[in-house]
């Protein structure tokens, strides 16, 4: 073992005889432990929130989405579909038409996001876990079209799936007219459809109505055009961003190809920024707690002046004396950090296993706060503690080295 560490360990255990210095050291250890535990837990909660949002996105959004670089719609040709399907990793290509429309049911109405999908949508199996009532079928046995509606739409229109008489009416303004008379029914295309299923993910998707592509295409007068192509990729080793990059390289710049994370980049970026600011804030808390290490080492340096001068007389160098007190500060910080990390990991494990802290909301997607441990965060916390410890330990360690030299002179 290094000589400086051996002496530092001896000082660490022997100074318990001096009660006041011991109390300050223990306060420093406790402060570092609490700050470390808080950082591990809070960063893990942010990881859990990010992971939960990704799971929500995966329930509804496609792995990769192709949209036009200009405008809202584009013509889908057989050659384009062939090129997209030829990209390695592509499993399913779903043609999609999406636009706002007016939905009416009985005497109530609301604006909805109408999404038309082709027959491949049911093979994706995305909404299976989000279905709360009915089924995800878009056509009945006799070819009757059905719609899958969001919980928010059902509540806004008071829709009952058991009511087989009242249809869901969808209205969309006719194109090609110079003026639009909103009071006239002649100004709108209309179609009726039966609601066959209800899904719930979260409020962001609460205004969706999913219907067969042919029904929506006729209502919106898209005439072979589409709003987007949604791609479902094969399982690992294929990655969404890699498949998106390959598709983009093949179809050119007239289309925008984005993976699921890119489609929801703003929300994910907001979570990461919040996580960064929280990490910075907790770093300052750890710094404040570590200031006690500064006072503890300063008092220890005063107490050990004679020992330091004796070490100089025996041939010790200033760097050795400085390293002794730096090691002393590292031992105090390391002890607190180990306790804090173990406590934080234990709390996260208990939360993941038993859900000790609930969300407190009946409408929450999960009962308890989501938590996800990432070892990079633990390494980040340990790195912050090392930097803070070196910062607060350097000045008293340097003073101790100089004071010993002064006594020798």
């Amino acid at each position: 073992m290094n000589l400086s560490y051996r002496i530092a360990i001896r000082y660490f255990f022997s100074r318990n005889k001096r009660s006041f210095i011991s109390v300050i050291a223990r306060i420093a250890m406790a402060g570092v432990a609490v700050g470390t535990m808080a950082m591990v837990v809070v960063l893990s909660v942010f990881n859990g929130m990010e992971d939960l949002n990704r799971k929500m996105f995966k329930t509804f959004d496609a792995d990769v989405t192709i949209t036009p670089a200009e405008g809202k719609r584009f013509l889908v040709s057989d050659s384009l579909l062939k090129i997209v399907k030829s990209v390695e990793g592509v499993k399913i290509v779903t043609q999609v038409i999406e636009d706002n429309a007016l939905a009416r049911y009985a005497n109530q109405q609301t604006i909805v996001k109408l999404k038309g999908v082709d027959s491949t949508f049911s093979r994706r199996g995305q909404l299976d876990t989000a279905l709360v009532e009915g089924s995800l079928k878009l056509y009945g046995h006799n070819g009757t079209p059905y719609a899958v509606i969001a919980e928010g739409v059902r509540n806004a229109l008071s829709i009952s799936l058991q009511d087989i008489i009242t249809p869901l009416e969808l209205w969309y303004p006719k194109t090609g007219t110079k003026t639009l008379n909103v009071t006239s029914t002649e100004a709108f295309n209309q179609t009726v459809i039966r609601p066959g299923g209800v899904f719930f993910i979260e409020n962001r998707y609460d205004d969706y109505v999913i219907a067969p592509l042919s029904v929506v295409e006729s209502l919106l007068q898209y005439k072979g055009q589409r709003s987007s192509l949604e791609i479902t990729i094969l399982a690992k080793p294929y990655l969404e961003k890699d498949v998106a990059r390959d598709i983009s390289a093949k179809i050119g710049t007239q289309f925008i190809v984005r993976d699921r994370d890119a489609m929801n980049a703003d929300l994910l970026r907001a979570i990461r920024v919040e996580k960064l600011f929280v990490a910075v804030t907790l770093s300052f808390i750890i710094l404040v707690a570590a200031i006690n290490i500064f006072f503890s080492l300063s008092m220890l340096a005063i107490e050990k002046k004679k020992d330091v001068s004796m070490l100089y007389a025996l041939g010790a160098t200033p760097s050795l004396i400085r390293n002794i007190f730096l090691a002393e500060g590292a031992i105090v910080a390391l002890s607190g950090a180990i306790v804090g990390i173990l406590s934080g990991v234990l709390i996260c494990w208990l939360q993941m296993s038993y859900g000790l802290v609930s969300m407190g909301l009946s409408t929450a997607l999960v009962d308890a706060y989501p938590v996800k441990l990432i070892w990079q965060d633990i390494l980040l916390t340990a790195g912050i503690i090392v930097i803070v410890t070196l910062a607060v330990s350097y000045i008293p360690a340097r003073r101790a080295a100089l004071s010993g030299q002064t006594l020798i002179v």
Side-chain angles (χ1 to χ4, degrees):
M1 182 185 294
N2 187 282
L3 178 60
S4 59
Y5 278 97
R6 293 185 65 178
I7 297 174
I9 291 173
R10 183 176 179 84
Y11 282 170
F12 179 75
F13 288 105
S14 65
R15 70 181 182 184
N16 287 333
K17 300 173 184 176
R18 303 283 183 174
S19 60
F20 188 66
I21 299 177
S22 176
V23 168
I24 294 178
R26 288 173 181 172
I27 291 174
M29 290 170 58
V32 172
V34 172
T36 303
M37 179 186 68
M39 180 169 283
V40 171
V41 171
V42 173
L43 293 183
S44 298
V45 170
F46 274 99
N47 294 334
M49 289 293 186
E50 184 175 343
D51 193 55
L52 176 63
N53 276 281
R54 278 200 167 95
K55 289 180 179 177
M56 287 191 303
F57 301 153
K58 194 171 184 178
T59 304
F60 191 87
D61 298 333
D63 297 331
V64 178
T65 302
I66 302 174
T67 55
E70 297 181 0
K72 295 175 56 178
R73 59 179 76 179
F74 63 97
L75 186 63
V76 176
S77 61
D78 293 337
S79 59
L80 176 62
L81 292 175
K82 186 176 180 180
I83 292 173
V84 173
K85 291 177 181 178
S86 68
V87 175
E88 189 175 2
V90 172
K91 181 181 179 181
I92 300 172
V93 180
T94 304
Q95 299 183 44
V96 175
I97 296 175
E98 185 173 329
D99 207 338
N100 293 329
L102 176 68
R104 296 184 60 182
Y105 186 83
N107 296 322
Q108 301 184 70
Q109 61 185 32
T110 186
I111 300 297
V112 299
K113 289 182 180 178
L114 181 59
K115 183 174 182 177
V117 294
D118 62 24
S119 58
T120 61
F121 181 78
S122 58
R123 290 163 48 196
R124 287 159 54 173
Q126 284 183 291
L127 289 177
D128 293 347
T129 57
L131 190 68
V132 295
E133 186 179 354
S135 67
L136 296 176
K137 64 181 180 181
L138 296 178
Y139 284 101
H141 296 296
N142 56 355
T144 303
Y146 283 87
V148 180
I149 62 175
E151 178 77 14
V153 175
R154 176 170 72 169
N155 294 337
L157 300 178
S158 301
I159 295 175
S160 172
L161 298 188
Q162 286 70 41
D163 185 355
I164 61 174
I165 298 177
T166 307
L168 175 65
E169 301 177 23
L170 298 174
W171 296 50
Y172 189 81
K174 290 182 178 179
T175 59
T177 56
K178 295 182 179 180
T179 59
L180 177 64
N181 183 3
V182 295
T183 61
S184 172
T185 58
E186 298 298 325
F188 293 86
N189 290 326
Q190 305 172 36
T191 189
V192 295
I193 194 169
R194 283 191 57 188
V198 179
F199 70 91
F200 175 75
I201 303 174
E202 60 113 15
N203 293 337
R204 179 180 181 180
Y205 305 103
D206 250 4
D207 55 351
Y208 270 92
V209 172
I210 301 175
L213 184 69
S214 58
V215 174
V216 177
E217 181 179 15
S218 175
L219 176 69
L220 274 56
Q221 307 167 73
Y222 263 52
K223 301 176 181 178
Q225 294 178 314
R226 303 290 181 259
S227 301
S228 63
L229 294 177
E230 295 186 347
I231 315 298
T232 303
I233 67 172
L234 296 169
K236 294 180 179 179
Y238 297 103
L239 299 177
E240 296 155 1
K241 61 180 181 180
D242 295 336
V243 175
R245 184 188 62 243
D246 294 342
I247 294 175
S248 180
K250 285 196 172 186
I251 64 177
T253 57
Q254 57 182 327
F255 297 100
I256 299 175
V257 184
R258 292 177 290 179
D259 60 27
R260 187 184 295 111
D261 282 359
M263 292 285 292
N264 301 280
D266 291 341
L267 181 57
L268 294 175
R269 189 182 302 113
I271 294 175
R272 291 176 187 137
V273 170
E274 288 179 7
K275 180 180 176 181
L276 174 62
F277 276 102
V278 168
V280 172
T281 303
L282 291 175
S283 298
F284 280 111
I285 293 175
I286 292 176
L287 175 60
V288 171
I291 289 176
N292 287 302
I293 297 177
F294 172 86
F295 292 115
S296 174
L297 291 181
S298 297
M299 297 185 67
L300 184 65
I302 295 172
E303 181 190 2
K304 300 297 182 181
K305 273 187 179 181
K306 292 183 179 179
D307 292 359
V308 171
S309 61
M310 186 177 296
L311 288 171
Y312 272 122
L314 292 173
T317 61
S319 62
L320 175 63
I321 303 302
R322 187 169 57 249
N323 289 340
I324 290 173
F325 286 88
L326 287 175
E328 182 74 13
I331 291 172
V332 174
L334 183 62
S335 303
I338 291 175
V339 173
I341 288 174
L342 292 178
S343 300
V345 170
L346 177 61
I347 291 174
C348 291
W349 178 80
L350 291 173
Q351 178 68 12
M352 288 187 292
S353 302
Y354 302 103
L356 301 179
V357 182
S358 69
M359 297 289 285
L361 297 172
S362 59
T363 57
L365 296 174
V366 290
D367 295 330
Y369 274 96
V371 173
K372 182 181 181 181
L373 274 170
I374 296 180
W375 291 109
Q376 289 88 332
D377 290 338
I378 296 178
L379 293 176
L380 171 65
T381 304
I384 290 172
I385 293 171
V386 169
I387 294 172
V388 168
T389 302
L390 289 175
V392 300
S393 301
Y394 181 78
I395 294 178
R398 185 170 179 273
R399 286 179 178 174
L402 293 175
S403 67
Q405 283 182 319
T406 303
L407 287 176
I408 289 293
V409 174

